[in-house]
Amino acid sequence: MATGKGAGDRIADLIDDILVQTPLKAAGFIVTIYGDLVEPRGGVVWIGNLIETCAAVGISETLVRTAVSRLVAAGQLLGEREGRRSYYRLSRTAGSEFAAAAQIIFGGAEEESWQLVHLTGAETEERMQALERAGYARLDPRLAIGPARQAAGSADALTLRADSPDPKALAAFVQTYWNLAPHAAAYRLFLDQFRPVAGLVQQHPLSPATALTIRLLLIHRFRSVLLHDPRLPAAALPRDWPGLEARRLFAALYRRLSPAADDHIGRRFVSGSGPLRAVTEESEKRLSLLETQAA
């Protein structure tokens, strides 16, 4: 990065670095836009706002419209028109999925317990793969173990709670059944990308539009890393686990960016019934949840 540049140019360079290191896909970024700013404000927004927001990170209008069409076909968005404008709202199913993801992203530490799941009935392989995506480790074709989460169980499964009072035994068990190295590397890349951003943001005020762009990139990257992480209980993780620092950085930077970013939302974003509110009960709740995590 060249020296002698102003804060705005340095921020632009950091954004470019993030986009080069971890390129965006239009549909995934649009999902982030809905999850971060649309869902807490009613779930519907003008497509022009999506086009403008995506343009700031190099995603063209054509790619936005194609991605929106695919999200509609997938049942995540529903289209509606008011006059000459097109608006898109979250489907009920997508809204439930977004709420669950928001709880993971903003809610902090999860339940510190373990669960064995023995699958019964048919189609066990598909259900086992779903458990693995939820952070479970496969022990055999029907048996998995992982963090005890409500979504892990089903009518065709036997669930048993597990406990390990021996930290060394727990660490050895985790090392045997989980490969945490890729997740640690992903957290370290996130830290490398956003530590410099946090330093600049702390020293220099940003325009509301730039604050929103950075906040969207921040949550897009953190969401991607976090939701792929098995999110094991803290007692099972290495002492130098980078996920802990990554969460603190995410919480602190998200809170710092939000006043300006929310101001931009209130000034620029609209639904069919009028402007989106800059601040809502849900957006305030998210900031409150992050307050203790940023320490």
Side-chain angles (χ1 to χ4, degrees):
M1 188 179 300
T3 59
K5 291 186 175 183
D9 290 333
R10 284 182 285 164
I11 283 289
D13 286 343
L14 289 171
I15 290 173
D16 288 343
D17 289 344
I18 293 169
L19 295 176
V20 169
Q21 293 167 351
T22 47
L24 297 175
K25 293 184 178 179
F29 193 65
I30 289 169
V31 166
T32 295
I33 294 171
Y34 270 88
D36 183 42
L37 68 92
V38 183
E39 191 274 337
R41 296 169 175 84
V44 58
V45 75
W46 175 43
I47 192 173
N49 292 135
L50 299 178
I51 292 167
E52 180 183 67
T53 306
C54 287
V57 292
I59 299 174
S60 70
E61 178 176 347
T62 299
L63 287 176
V64 171
R65 292 187 181 277
T66 299
V68 167
S69 296
R70 289 174 178 170
L71 290 168
V72 170
Q76 291 191 281
L77 295 180
L78 303 172
E80 53 191 52
R81 292 188 66 86
E82 291 285 341
R84 299 179 62 181
R85 285 189 168 186
S86 296
Y87 301 86
Y88 290 87
R89 69 167 58 250
L90 290 174
S91 68
R92 181 175 299 179
T93 300
S96 298
E97 293 172 355
F98 278 44
Q103 178 59 38
I104 294 170
I105 294 166
F106 295 98
E110 299 181 69
E111 185 179 0
E112 296 286 305
S113 58
W114 296 81
Q115 187 168 259
L116 281 161
V117 179
H118 181 259
L119 299 176
T120 61
E123 299 180 357
T124 58
E125 178 58 27
E126 181 178 345
R127 290 154 57 208
M128 177 62 73
Q129 291 177 12
L131 284 173
E132 289 178 314
R133 288 193 296 271
Y136 279 67
R138 181 193 301 237
L139 302 180
D140 69 25
R142 289 182 177 270
L143 185 65
I145 187 168
R149 297 183 182 126
Q150 185 176 358
S154 72
D156 295 326
L158 174 66
T159 59
L160 300 169
R161 289 298 174 102
D163 186 26
S164 174
D166 183 349
K168 290 184 178 179
L170 180 59
F173 178 78
V174 168
Q175 188 173 9
T176 300
Y177 290 100
W178 280 270
N179 179 14
L180 296 180
H183 305 294
Y187 279 122
R188 292 190 184 100
L189 177 57
F190 172 85
L191 289 166
D192 289 343
Q193 289 176 328
F194 286 97
R195 275 198 202 105
V197 176
L200 274 175
V201 169
Q202 191 169 5
Q203 298 172 19
H204 303 281
L206 301 177
S207 71
T210 300
L212 179 60
T213 296
I214 295 174
R215 193 178 80 175
L216 287 168
L217 288 174
L218 174 76
I219 194 169
H220 184 80
R221 288 287 300 122
F222 187 67
R223 176 175 67 92
S224 175
V225 177
L226 182 65
L227 296 186
H228 284 90
D229 180 0
R231 306 192 307 280
L232 301 180
L237 297 171
R239 290 185 178 181
D240 60 348
W241 181 243
L244 303 177
E245 184 181 354
R247 177 166 283 282
R248 287 193 296 269
L249 175 63
F250 166 74
L253 186 51
Y254 189 97
R255 283 179 56 82
R256 182 171 289 274
L257 292 166
S258 286
D262 290 341
D263 177 69
H264 184 70
I265 295 168
R267 292 175 182 272
R268 297 287 301 179
F269 283 70
V270 296
S271 68
S273 58
L276 298 190
R277 292 170 56 192
V279 176
T280 66
E281 181 178 350
E282 177 60 27
S283 69
E284 288 285 272
K285 177 183 175 182
R286 292 180 176 188
L287 293 176
S288 178
L289 287 170
L290 292 178
E291 184 174 5
T292 57
Q293 300 172 47

